[in-house]
Amino acid sequence: MLPAFTEHGVLPTGVHQATEEEVFTRFATSPARRQWLGERLRDVIATAKATGKLHRLILWGSFVTAKPAPNDLDLLLIMAADFDPAQEPEPLRILFDHPQARIRFRADVFWTTVAMPAETLALWLDTYQIGKDFQRRGIVKVSIS
Protein backbone atom coordinates (compact mmCIF):
# COMPACT_ATOMS: atom_id res chain seq x y z
CA MET A 1 0.00 0.00 0.00
CA LEU A 2 1.29 3.42 -0.92
CA PRO A 3 1.79 5.88 1.95
CA ALA A 4 -0.05 9.19 2.28
CA PHE A 5 1.47 12.29 0.73
CA THR A 6 3.56 14.54 2.93
CA GLU A 7 2.46 18.09 3.70
CA HIS A 8 4.33 19.08 0.52
CA GLY A 9 2.19 16.81 -1.68
CA VAL A 10 4.88 14.20 -2.34
CA LEU A 11 5.43 10.64 -1.21
CA PRO A 12 7.74 10.20 1.77
CA THR A 13 11.35 9.54 0.78
CA GLY A 14 12.02 5.99 -0.29
CA VAL A 15 11.10 3.46 -2.93
CA HIS A 16 7.48 2.44 -2.37
CA GLN A 17 6.12 -0.82 -3.77
CA ALA A 18 2.74 -0.76 -5.55
CA THR A 19 0.75 -2.93 -7.90
CA GLU A 20 -0.27 -1.65 -11.31
CA GLU A 21 -3.84 -1.30 -10.07
CA GLU A 22 -2.77 0.70 -7.00
CA VAL A 23 -0.86 3.08 -9.27
CA PHE A 24 -3.85 3.63 -11.54
CA THR A 25 -6.27 4.01 -8.65
CA ARG A 26 -4.07 6.46 -6.76
CA PHE A 27 -2.59 8.54 -9.56
CA ALA A 28 -4.75 8.17 -12.69
CA THR A 29 -8.39 8.64 -11.75
CA SER A 30 -9.03 12.37 -11.52
CA PRO A 31 -8.79 15.05 -12.83
CA ALA A 32 -8.88 14.57 -16.61
CA ARG A 33 -5.14 15.25 -17.07
CA ARG A 34 -4.28 12.42 -14.69
CA GLN A 35 -6.72 10.10 -16.46
CA TRP A 36 -5.11 10.95 -19.80
CA LEU A 37 -1.60 10.33 -18.44
CA GLY A 38 -2.87 7.11 -16.89
CA GLU A 39 -3.89 5.92 -20.34
CA ARG A 40 -0.41 6.79 -21.64
CA LEU A 41 1.05 4.75 -18.77
CA ARG A 42 -1.21 1.81 -19.66
CA ASP A 43 0.13 2.04 -23.23
CA VAL A 44 3.74 2.12 -21.98
CA ILE A 45 3.20 -0.93 -19.78
CA ALA A 46 1.40 -2.88 -22.51
CA THR A 47 4.15 -2.07 -25.01
CA ALA A 48 6.93 -3.03 -22.59
CA LYS A 49 5.12 -6.25 -21.65
CA ALA A 50 4.70 -7.13 -25.33
CA THR A 51 8.48 -7.57 -25.54
CA GLY A 52 8.23 -10.40 -23.02
CA LYS A 53 11.29 -8.89 -21.31
CA LEU A 54 9.91 -6.40 -18.76
CA HIS A 55 11.06 -7.12 -15.20
CA ARG A 56 10.33 -3.93 -13.25
CA LEU A 57 9.01 -0.41 -13.65
CA ILE A 58 9.95 2.62 -11.55
CA LEU A 59 7.86 5.84 -11.58
CA TRP A 60 8.89 9.24 -10.25
CA GLY A 61 8.22 12.90 -10.89
CA SER A 62 5.02 14.92 -10.76
CA PHE A 63 2.78 11.98 -11.74
CA VAL A 64 3.40 10.32 -8.37
CA THR A 65 2.65 13.52 -6.41
CA ALA A 66 -0.54 15.34 -5.46
CA LYS A 67 -0.08 17.82 -8.32
CA PRO A 68 -3.50 18.06 -10.06
CA ALA A 69 -2.09 18.36 -13.59
CA PRO A 70 1.28 16.61 -13.97
CA ASN A 71 3.13 17.48 -17.16
CA ASP A 72 4.23 13.99 -18.15
CA LEU A 73 5.38 10.57 -17.02
CA ASP A 74 8.90 9.82 -15.81
CA LEU A 75 9.82 6.17 -15.69
CA LEU A 76 12.53 3.56 -15.79
CA LEU A 77 11.96 0.19 -17.42
CA ILE A 78 14.17 -2.61 -16.19
CA MET A 79 14.34 -5.27 -18.86
CA ALA A 80 15.76 -8.80 -19.07
CA ALA A 81 19.55 -9.11 -19.33
CA ASP A 82 19.32 -10.24 -22.97
CA PHE A 83 16.97 -7.45 -24.07
CA ASP A 84 17.97 -5.66 -27.27
CA PRO A 85 15.48 -3.12 -28.64
CA ALA A 86 16.94 -3.53 -32.13
CA GLN A 87 15.54 -7.06 -32.11
CA GLU A 88 11.99 -5.86 -31.41
CA PRO A 89 9.40 -5.06 -34.10
CA GLU A 90 9.12 -1.38 -35.03
CA PRO A 91 5.95 -0.66 -33.01
CA LEU A 92 7.71 -1.83 -29.82
CA ARG A 93 11.09 -0.22 -30.54
CA ILE A 94 9.59 3.27 -30.33
CA LEU A 95 9.26 2.90 -26.55
CA PHE A 96 13.04 2.52 -26.22
CA ASP A 97 13.88 5.57 -28.36
CA HIS A 98 13.74 8.45 -25.87
CA PRO A 99 12.61 11.25 -28.26
CA GLN A 100 10.04 9.02 -29.95
CA ALA A 101 8.68 7.77 -26.62
CA ARG A 102 8.34 11.38 -25.48
CA ILE A 103 6.16 12.15 -28.51
CA ARG A 104 4.13 8.92 -28.59
CA PHE A 105 3.60 8.31 -24.87
CA ARG A 106 4.17 11.78 -23.33
CA ALA A 107 6.76 10.06 -21.20
CA ASP A 108 10.42 10.37 -20.40
CA VAL A 109 11.27 6.70 -20.74
CA PHE A 110 14.64 5.47 -19.55
CA TRP A 111 15.58 1.83 -19.62
CA THR A 112 18.25 -0.59 -18.55
CA THR A 113 18.60 -4.31 -18.03
CA VAL A 114 18.78 -6.42 -14.89
CA ALA A 115 22.49 -6.79 -15.70
CA MET A 116 23.08 -3.22 -14.46
CA PRO A 117 25.21 -3.38 -11.31
CA ALA A 118 23.12 -3.02 -8.15
CA GLU A 119 25.16 -0.06 -6.90
CA THR A 120 24.56 1.82 -10.18
CA LEU A 121 20.82 1.15 -10.02
CA ALA A 122 20.78 2.31 -6.38
CA LEU A 123 22.47 5.55 -7.44
CA TRP A 124 19.89 6.08 -10.20
CA LEU A 125 17.01 5.46 -7.77
CA ASP A 126 18.53 7.83 -5.25
CA THR A 127 18.83 10.50 -7.94
CA TYR A 128 15.19 10.04 -9.00
CA GLN A 129 14.16 10.86 -5.42
CA ILE A 130 15.39 14.44 -5.82
CA GLY A 131 12.83 16.84 -7.30
CA LYS A 132 13.37 19.95 -9.39
CA ASP A 133 13.23 21.89 -6.11
CA PHE A 134 16.16 19.73 -4.86
CA GLN A 135 13.93 18.29 -2.11
CA ARG A 136 13.80 14.53 -1.55
CA ARG A 137 10.60 12.65 -2.31
CA GLY A 138 9.44 9.11 -2.76
CA ILE A 139 9.27 7.11 -5.95
CA VAL A 140 7.22 4.03 -6.88
CA LYS A 141 8.37 0.57 -7.87
CA VAL A 142 5.49 -1.05 -9.77
CA SER A 143 4.95 -4.79 -9.48
CA ILE A 144 4.45 -6.16 -12.96
CA SER A 145 1.68 -8.71 -13.29
Side-chain angles (χ1 to χ4, degrees):
M1 177 179 232
L2 290 166
F5 291 124
T6 69
E7 63 202 36
H8 303 291
V10 298
L11 293 170
T13 300
V15 180
H16 305 284
Q17 187 77 32
T19 65
E20 288 177 50
E21 200 50 47
E22 285 175 305
V23 166
F24 291 113
T25 299
R26 177 80 176 271
F27 302 114
T29 56
S30 180
R33 176 67 178 178
R34 284 189 164 281
Q35 292 173 349
W36 184 82
L37 284 172
E39 288 306 312
R40 302 299 69 74
L41 181 58
R42 285 186 196 281
D43 291 345
V44 166
I45 292 172
T47 302
K49 282 181 176 180
T51 67
K53 305 280 184 168
L54 178 63
H55 278 243
R56 292 186 299 248
L57 168 71
I58 310 291
L59 286 168
W60 69 92
S62 61
F63 186 71
V64 294
T65 70
K67 184 176 180 180
N71 188 44
D72 62 2
L73 300 167
D74 299 290
L75 58 104
L76 173 67
L77 301 171
I78 302 176
M79 308 299 288
D82 64 345
F83 177 71
D84 177 1
Q87 301 302 312
E88 297 298 327
E90 182 63 34
L92 302 182
R93 267 196 312 250
I94 204 166
L95 181 60
F96 303 93
D97 179 324
H98 190 87
Q100 292 299 314
R102 181 91 176 119
I103 294 166
R104 165 65 179 84
F105 298 101
R106 192 65 175 152
D108 283 319
V109 178
F110 301 91
W111 71 274
T112 188
T113 69
V114 295
M116 173 185 268
E119 58 275 3
T120 304
L121 180 59
L123 180 61
W124 279 21
L125 297 182
D126 187 62
T127 301
Y128 297 152
Q129 291 182 65
I130 301 171
K132 289 179 183 176
D133 59 1
F134 299 103
Q135 299 299 309
R136 294 191 62 77
R137 61 188 177 182
I139 61 177
V140 179
K141 178 180 174 185
V142 184
S143 300
I144 301 302
S145 53

